[in-house]
Amino acid sequence: MSDEKNTAAKLEKIKGEILAKYPTKVARKRAKQILVNRRDTNGKMPEVGANVRTVPGIITQRGCSYAGCKGVVLGPTRDIVNITHGPVGCAYYSWLTRRNQTRPESDTDENFMNYCFTTDMQDEHIVFGGEKKLKQAIQEAFDLFHPKAISVFSTCPVGLIGDDVHAVAREMKEKLGINVFAFSCEGYKGVSQSAGHHIANNGIFTHVVGLNDTIGKGKFRINLLGEYNIGGDSFEIERILDACGISLVSTYSGNSSIDHFANSHTADLNAIMCHRSINYMAEMMETKFGIPWIKVNFIGAESTAKSLRKIAQYFEDEELKAKVEEVIAAEMPAVMASLEKAKPRCEGKRAMLFVGGSRAHHYQDLFGELGMETLAAGYEFGHRDDYEGRKVLPSIKIDADSRNIEELHITPDAKRYAPRKDEESLKKLESEGLAFREYEGLMPDMKENTLVIDDISQFETEKLIEIFKPDIFCAGIKEKYAIQKSGIPMKQLHSYDSGGPYAGFKGAINFYGEIERMVNAKVWSFITPPWAAEPELSANYAWVA
Amino acid sequence: MLLRHTSAEPVERTGLMINPAKTCQPIGAMYAALGLHGCLPHSHGSQGCCAYHRSALTRHYREPVMAATSSFTEGASVFGGQANLLQAIDNIFTVYEPDIIAVHTTCLSETIGDDLNQIAIKARDEGKIPEGKYVIHASTPSYVGSHVTGFANMVQGMVKAFSESTGKKNETLNIIPGYVEPSDMEEVKRMAGLMGLKTIVFPDTSNVLNAPQTGKFRMYPKGGVTIAEMKATGDSKATIALGPLASDLAARKLDAQCKVPCHTLELPIGLQATDRFVDTLRKVGGVSVPESIAVERGKLLDVMTDMQAWFYQKRVALFGDPDSLVSLVEFLVALDMHPVHVVTGTPGKAFEQKIRDLTAHLPVPVNVKAHGDLFLLHQWIKKEPVDLLMGNTYGKYMARDEDLPFVRFGFPIFDRVGHSYFPTVGYMGGIRLMEKILDALLDRKDRDSPEESFELVI
Ligand code: SF4
Ligand code: SF4
């Protein structure tokens, strides 16, 4: 216990050291975003300052609303022509660099993932407005590709000059007879990518979900939400679900197609991976169509098994339960064999994780399997509920930046609302341990006396590295080389460097191998040259004849 | 087929850009600012642009790319970003302690009309800029030009902020190396050194964006032109600006500001452009060309003569930035290759004319477009096939679909290394370029040769 206290005191001191560098106002703000994960004497978790503005001038790893909307949520859908309305840059940077993979059903199916479409506004469009150009662009995209759908994303300057992208979309939808819809996801909206996720969810829900009522094949039909097929993760999850006999109606949005979205309201369960980016969709679907949702996690072999069992439990079908156990039993030996190989070389090593949304939480399970400890973690664009759990939702104050993001008011669909389970059976399942509409958050899952940092800054990253010298650091591309230059291996978890998939059973095997390589690679031992290791040695040769 | 929806027949497009061959101004400004020692680039706008620019530069150089942002939210977009920038300047000097903050605008702050000059003066007046430290700036709206324009604007900003003349000229030459790799900047310096010239190269990203692994992260690596050197540029004898689009603006500014005469040349890529660079150094510097340079030239020529047969009349499709394409086309023509499709994303009619002039005598028709895109280039290739494709990483989609040998050249290159370590400028750079082209062509020949003609010796 006193050891614990010591660690806590040490961490508080480190926090103090970090804050001391900041101007007073900044320090006051950051103090709420840097926490020692430690319950008070009443067992209460600390409250984290999250989803608040980045301080100008403090180097952040965050992106913008457009990146969340176009890059994260809509980007992985292969058969929509996504047109970025704005000057060239925004579109250029969101041009398939996140390694979202996709696999059309046939060679003739549409796949626009490798294309980048933009209106490339020039100064005359900024001065006189860009609506005409946008219409022309949509027309040209239609003439060239005849896609099922075209979507439009607004960038900062477009919002500023006031182009009405929604009116243009409506007009072109009418004219072309295909689905055309737009997103007001200007980069300045909200405080991070998170605003863009919300806008994207609202847009897809309004314009696509529910357009096709056909009930597809399969007895156990689910949607997977918040899984973006980074490095082929969805392929592995699809493989496993398939083996279990669980049908995937739609994935939001890895390896997805717009037709899947249109039909996704026919599923019987929503399973959420990245809670942050997509909980809105699950809630709206539940309200409008009656589909319950649960939180799952397919990162880590144990978590994958657990999530499969949860899904089976939901369907209350003995055959499915047996099948799931069979699949787990068939997959686990290979996982364990590779774990046995990797674990002795990883055990006891320490990791830090600072990634976008749920990943900073999920990946701790994988490290845990390897016997590694996570010393510090945090989100780039999480909200309080991602840290402290959804139970804090009622106590989250809405600030001006969140208020700017439209909140859809959803009501049950007059014809199609059909609760998949009545309240009673939901309650029963709940009493058996299956939590609905629930996400526990990162902090309860992390060890006591670890550091939780929201929107970590460059300076704080450097400090953590200097003080803790972790064995591996996980974050994004912008942090990668600063960390490696400090002699610490760095794994990207927004995209996967050269690796992946890491989800599911095969993914776990990949990850064990990858981490084992990274924390044991020889190269890190070569950084100090021999002459610097023993500088006092003077050159003193005795030539032997 | 990754780009299976690309049709062979080009149609005129006025609304839609598909697969751009350029990107936006601020990234060029950020790159240039990193070539200033002790400088932290700062993006004045919403934070997404900054995140994107840092990510793209990081992926290309595989080095830390630090930059701060004004993090506009909706309020700043309506009321202007002055408060954000003032706060940022204060925070940056306190937390990150740079010598210089180099601010560039984004589309957003540019459209609002924030006046960077006035904000910088206000910051100085309010004591937010410590003694001996600087805030410099450039206006970089992305709806004009491209990343190259942004580079040019920031280099001009460097001159505006620092260059001063004491009234006494010295023998130093300024060299503005253009929008090239750190390795190229290093090579330009090395060549001038071989000629016995004292130079100030700016910006200079060598040892910043190809910095050594030392086990210690430095926010401000050892490279980069120093403030003292930048100031001294006003006393130099002359300025040699390489790459008209990227470097001419700053060179002229320096001439106007400090009366330093300037000579603008094409980038020294390939034999003739390097010859002109060396010759200009000789004349302006008042030195003679040393034997060592002549030896390098001779080596380049030697490979050219030896390998003639493999280059002869090979059809090439190219895309990239105007300055580098002009020199590259001249080099390919010198190798008797046929650059038949040439696209740059950067607007500007002068480019098209230059390429036409360079290729006028070729026995084949040549397609050229400024402010074009890769979709158009792909359509041209489908209609009139080529033997080789040269351009940045994004060319790999086309190369795979059309089964083309592909040489990576330009910015950005995300999927290979080498560009930041090995130059393509100068005579030695010419040899490397030829090696890369030959490797691609000969690997393809080996792959496609029937067994009886699969040759050990060529
Ligand atoms: S808003 Fe402008 S500056 Fe920012 S990324 Fe887009 S094009 Fe570039
Ligand atoms: S957890 Fe990662 S993939 Fe999911 S939204 Fe967040 S950053 Fe993106």
Side-chain angles (χ1 to χ4, degrees):
Chain A
M1 187 65 210
S2 76
D3 251 17
E4 287 274 298
K5 260 199 194 134
N6 276 340
T7 338
K10 212 178 96 198
L11 291 177
E12 289 293 353
K13 203 175 137 239
I14 289 167
K15 173 175 170 178
E17 268 172 45
I18 290 174
L19 294 178
K21 180 77 178 169
Y22 290 127
T24 330
K25 262 172 79 182
V26 181
R28 209 176 302 136
K29 189 161 180 206
R30 290 303 296 157
K32 298 188 189 128
Q33 293 173 275
I34 305 176
L35 299 178
V36 179
N37 190 33
R38 187 177 164 78
R39 290 172 191 265
D40 65 15
T41 39
N42 304 321
K44 217 176 141 266
M45 243 184 301
E47 181 181 320
V48 62
N51 193 36
V52 290
R53 289 184 187 182
T54 310
V55 182
I58 299 299
I59 299 178
T60 173
Q61 315 302 355
R62 282 177 170 176
C64 64
S65 170
Y66 164 80
C69 183
K70 155 67 167 73
V72 174
V73 182
L74 267 300
T77 307
R78 60 176 166 264
D79 53 0
I80 303 176
V81 167
N82 287 322
I83 301 177
T84 300
H85 185 37
V88 68
C90 316
Y92 194 88
Y93 305 115
S94 63
W95 185 3
L96 200 90
T97 47
R98 285 176 43 87
R99 303 186 67 232
N100 306 107
Q101 301 183 6
T102 200
R103 194 185 284 149
E105 274 132 47
S106 84
D107 284 355
T108 49
D109 273 335
E110 289 167 312
N111 180 9
F112 301 112
M113 291 270 285
N114 308 311
Y115 291 87
C116 165
F117 305 97
T118 169
T119 50
D120 182 28
M121 290 170 96
Q122 300 297 298
D123 47 358
E124 71 260 29
H125 309 117
I126 297 292
V127 178
F128 300 112
E131 289 180 17
K132 243 174 80 190
K133 184 158 169 70
L134 176 60
K135 267 181 227 171
Q136 179 64 19
I138 294 172
Q139 183 68 51
E140 287 170 5
F142 179 78
D143 294 341
L144 275 166
F145 304 107
H146 299 283
K148 293 180 190 126
I150 295 176
S151 68
V152 175
F153 302 86
S154 297
T155 58
C156 293
V158 167
L160 203 67
I161 61 173
D163 279 359
D164 188 345
V165 290
H166 303 284
V168 170
R170 274 195 301 275
E171 184 188 325
M172 294 310 283
K173 181 177 177 172
E174 187 81 2
K175 180 170 174 205
L176 303 175
I178 60 163
N179 202 354
V180 184
F181 44 93
F183 298 89
S184 292
C185 54
E186 294 85 355
Y188 53 71
K189 291 223 168 123
V191 299
S192 68
Q193 290 94 318
S194 176
H197 304 148
H198 196 165
I199 294 166
N201 286 305
N202 286 350
I204 305 182
F205 192 78
T206 307
H207 296 287
V208 187
V209 173
L211 290 181
N212 176 356
D213 287 329
T214 321
I215 310 274
K217 283 203 290 282
K219 201 163 154 198
F220 314 110
R221 307 174 69 256
I222 71 165
N223 296 317
L224 190 59
L225 267 49
E227 160 49 48
Y228 301 104
N229 204 19
I230 314 277
D233 276 352
S234 306
F235 297 148
E236 166 66 0
I237 301 174
E238 285 169 29
R239 180 187 73 84
I240 297 170
L241 292 177
D242 216 39
C244 294
I246 299 165
S247 311
L248 204 49
V249 182
S250 178
T251 304
Y252 284 81
S253 49
N255 195 29
S256 63
S257 84
I258 189 164
D259 293 338
H260 296 160
F261 294 160
N263 184 243
S264 58
H265 64 297
T266 65
D268 292 320
L269 175 69
N270 278 329
I272 297 196
M273 283 278 284
C274 176
H275 169 263
R276 179 66 268 140
S277 59
I278 207 148
N279 70 82
Y280 320 94
M281 178 62 79
E283 285 184 55
M284 292 190 290
M285 281 209 211
E286 174 151 29
T287 312
K288 186 164 177 182
F289 302 106
I291 310 173
W293 68 266
I294 56 170
K295 173 80 179 66
V296 293
N297 173 21
F298 287 100
I299 303 294
E302 293 294 340
S303 314
T304 301
K306 209 164 124 193
S307 298
L308 289 174
R309 289 185 178 121
K310 270 184 168 179
I311 295 170
Q313 190 185 355
Y314 168 79
F315 284 108
E316 298 175 276
D317 182 283
E318 293 311 314
E319 226 172 283
L320 177 63
K321 283 183 191 166
K323 189 73 201 168
V324 160
E325 292 308 325
E326 195 183 300
V327 169
I328 295 171
E331 298 280 343
M332 275 320 241
V335 174
M336 294 321 286
S338 114
L339 184 59
E340 252 164 57
K341 236 179 86 208
K343 195 167 175 179
R345 283 162 65 81
C346 298
E347 201 149 27
K349 297 203 189 284
R350 303 161 319 150
M352 292 189 173
L353 285 127
F354 291 93
V355 208
S358 308
R359 276 161 199 265
H361 181 188
H362 292 162
Y363 271 82
Q364 299 191 26
D365 291 354
L366 263 175
F367 282 117
E369 289 173 4
L370 283 166
M372 291 173 66
E373 185 193 347
T374 301
L375 292 179
Y379 298 133
E380 202 173 279
F381 46 72
H383 297 203
R384 271 187 65 200
D385 42 321
D386 300 292
Y387 288 98
E388 302 167 57
R390 284 178 69 92
K391 60 187 164 305
V392 301
L393 278 177
S395 60
I396 296 180
K397 288 185 220 70
I398 308 284
D399 60 14
D401 294 309
S402 307
R403 205 165 289 127
N404 287 335
I405 315 299
E406 189 194 10
E407 195 71 58
L408 297 185
H409 291 287
I410 306 298
T411 49
D413 189 277
K415 283 205 201 90
R416 297 177 291 179
Y417 178 77
R420 305 311 201 256
K421 303 239 176 208
D422 54 35
E423 276 304 320
E424 209 164 297
S425 38
L426 287 180
K427 282 235 170 64
K428 180 177 154 275
L429 283 169
E430 218 137 11
S431 71
E432 290 163 14
L434 185 64
F436 291 97
R437 309 175 191 116
E438 180 58 288
Y439 175 46
E440 281 283 334
L442 165 83
M443 286 162 60
D445 239 21
M446 268 184 86
K447 270 185 47 182
E448 290 256 303
N449 296 320
T450 45
L451 276 175
V452 171
I453 306 183
D454 181 62
D455 183 21
I456 193 171
S457 75
Q458 175 58 33
F459 169 71
E460 292 156 13
T461 307
E462 279 170 53
K463 271 297 202 197
L464 287 190
I465 292 207
E466 187 188 305
I467 296 168
F468 292 99
K469 303 217 172 356
D471 298 287
I472 192 163
F473 196 102
C474 302
I477 184 70
K478 296 189 288 297
E479 302 93 304
K480 183 174 175 78
Y481 297 99
I483 288 157
Q484 290 193 173
K485 276 273 181 340
S486 316
I488 310 272
M490 195 283 184
K491 179 72 195 164
Q492 284 192 72
L493 285 184
H494 295 268
S495 77
Y496 292 158
D497 298 292
S498 49
Y502 296 138
F505 299 112
K506 295 212 166 129
I509 294 174
N510 283 341
F511 195 76
Y512 301 152
E514 176 79 350
I515 298 306
E516 190 237 3
R517 170 186 70 76
M518 291 185 78
V519 298
N520 293 296
K522 285 204 190 57
V523 63
W524 305 109
S525 67
F526 300 142
I527 290 174
T528 313
W531 54 88
E534 293 177 88
E536 73 283 357
L537 211 68
S538 62
N540 189 3
Y541 291 102
W543 293 97
V544 183
Chain B
M1 291 296 273
L2 292 158
L3 303 176
R4 67 178 76 122
H5 304 289
T6 305
S7 50
E9 203 53 52
V11 284
E12 174 74 9
R13 277 177 283 123
T14 56
L16 191 64
M17 163 84 72
I18 312 171
N19 302 349
K22 63 161 180 179
T23 186
C24 66
Q25 284 212 40
I27 198 172
M30 195 181 275
Y31 178 54
L34 290 166
L36 199 50
H37 181 74
C39 176
L40 187 73
H42 181 89
S43 166
H44 185 50
S46 31
Q47 71 209 10
C49 309
C50 183
Y52 275 141
H53 304 147
R54 288 180 62 206
S55 297
L57 289 173
T58 304
R59 289 192 174 106
H60 177 83
Y61 294 105
R62 295 173 193 272
E63 290 289 338
V65 173
M66 292 300 149
T69 158
S70 296
S71 289
F72 279 27
T73 52
E74 213 138 20
S77 313
V78 178
F79 302 115
Q82 172 168 303
N84 289 50
L85 186 50
L86 289 174
Q87 198 192 348
I89 289 171
D90 198 16
N91 288 334
I92 291 169
F93 280 125
T94 312
V95 181
Y96 301 106
E97 302 172 19
D99 294 328
I100 310 157
I101 301 174
V103 187
H104 57 259
T105 53
T106 65
C107 295
L108 181 56
S109 55
E110 197 55 48
T111 309
I112 301 171
D114 276 354
D115 181 349
L116 292 186
N117 197 36
Q118 173 261 320
I119 301 175
I121 291 170
K122 197 166 158 60
R124 174 76 68 194
D125 291 347
E126 290 180 2
K128 293 195 160 69
I129 308 175
E131 251 333 281
K133 306 248 173 175
Y134 300 86
V135 173
I136 69 169
H137 51 85
S139 161
T140 50
S142 294
Y143 34 83
V144 178
S146 73
H147 54 292
V148 188
T149 326
F151 179 93
N153 285 333
M154 184 50 85
V155 184
Q156 187 195 34
M158 290 165 63
V159 168
K160 263 195 210 161
F162 294 116
S163 302
E164 50 190 40
S165 79
T166 59
K168 262 196 10 223
K169 291 272 177 260
N170 56 39
E171 285 303 302
T172 306
L173 292 187
N174 302 322
I175 302 181
I176 310 179
Y179 199 137
V180 291
E181 293 289 323
S183 47
D184 294 320
M185 299 190 184
E186 217 157 0
E187 181 67 359
V188 160
K189 258 192 299 196
R190 187 190 68 90
M191 290 180 74
L194 285 180
M195 310 250 322
L197 294 168
K198 194 167 173 293
T199 56
I200 300 171
V201 174
F202 73 92
D204 180 4
T205 57
S206 59
N207 291 320
V208 177
L209 290 165
N210 57 0
Q213 169 63 284
T214 57
K216 188 161 172 34
F217 165 67
R218 289 173 191 276
M219 190 111 175
Y220 311 105
K222 280 187 178 161
V225 62
T226 63
I227 294 174
E229 287 170 321
M230 258 331 285
K231 287 190 172 171
T233 53
D235 286 335
S236 292
K237 182 172 168 182
T239 302
I240 298 180
L242 302 175
L245 197 62
S247 304
D248 192 52
L249 199 61
R252 282 178 196 282
K253 180 76 204 166
L254 190 46
D255 191 351
Q257 194 164 304
C258 303
K259 303 271 166 306
V260 183
C262 65
H263 307 264
T264 301
L265 305 173
E266 296 295 348
L267 283 177
I269 294 171
L271 181 71
Q272 296 130 292
T274 305
D275 281 350
R276 291 193 297 270
F277 171 54
V278 169
D279 207 33
T280 308
L281 283 179
R282 173 181 72 95
K283 286 183 190 147
V284 177
V287 291
S288 51
V289 177
E291 180 63 16
S292 54
I293 293 265
V295 167
E296 288 181 8
R297 181 179 195 274
K299 288 182 175 175
L300 170 63
L301 258 181
D302 192 51
V303 182
M304 287 172 74
T305 48
D306 288 350
M307 290 295 153
Q308 240 287 316
W310 305 109
F311 295 120
Y312 190 67
Q313 294 197 345
K314 286 286 186 304
R315 294 166 56 84
V316 193
L318 308 164
F319 65 96
D321 296 339
D323 289 347
S324 36
L325 282 182
V326 166
S327 298
L328 184 60
V329 163
E330 188 186 26
F331 188 33
L332 297 184
V333 168
L335 292 168
D336 285 310
M337 297 179 88
H338 289 168
V340 287
H341 309 309
V342 187
V343 164
T344 188
T346 305
K349 287 286 160 205
F351 171 78
E352 293 184 3
Q353 195 49 51
K354 276 187 195 170
I355 300 294
R356 289 203 191 293
D357 291 347
L358 287 168
T359 55
H361 66 286
L362 293 185
V364 286
V366 172
N367 291 315
V368 49
K369 183 144 171 72
H371 205 184
D373 56 28
L374 302 188
F375 189 77
L376 173 70
L377 182 66
H378 194 177
Q379 291 183 311
W380 282 346
I381 293 171
K382 276 181 182 292
K383 269 195 89 130
E384 298 166 35
V386 293
D387 303 301
L388 177 72
L389 175 67
M390 293 181 80
N392 67 33
T393 284
Y394 287 100
K396 76 191 285 181
Y397 297 126
M398 283 184 275
R400 183 176 159 113
D401 280 0
E402 305 303 326
D403 195 20
L404 287 173
F406 175 38
V407 171
R408 285 167 181 77
F409 177 86
F411 174 86
I413 295 173
F414 294 147
D415 60 340
R416 292 293 188 274
V417 291
H419 44 275
S420 51
Y421 298 105
F422 308 112
T424 55
V425 301
Y427 300 120
M428 299 316 282
I431 294 179
R432 175 162 181 265
L433 256 181
M434 279 196 296
E435 181 215 11
K436 290 184 70 147
I437 293 171
L438 274 166
D439 279 353
L441 292 173
L442 293 174
D443 281 350
R444 175 52 51 92
K445 180 185 167 320
D446 282 344
R447 191 195 82 179
D448 294 346
S449 291
E451 278 183 31
E452 61 277 18
S453 48
F454 185 66
E455 261 302 343
L456 196 63
V457 181
I458 60 151

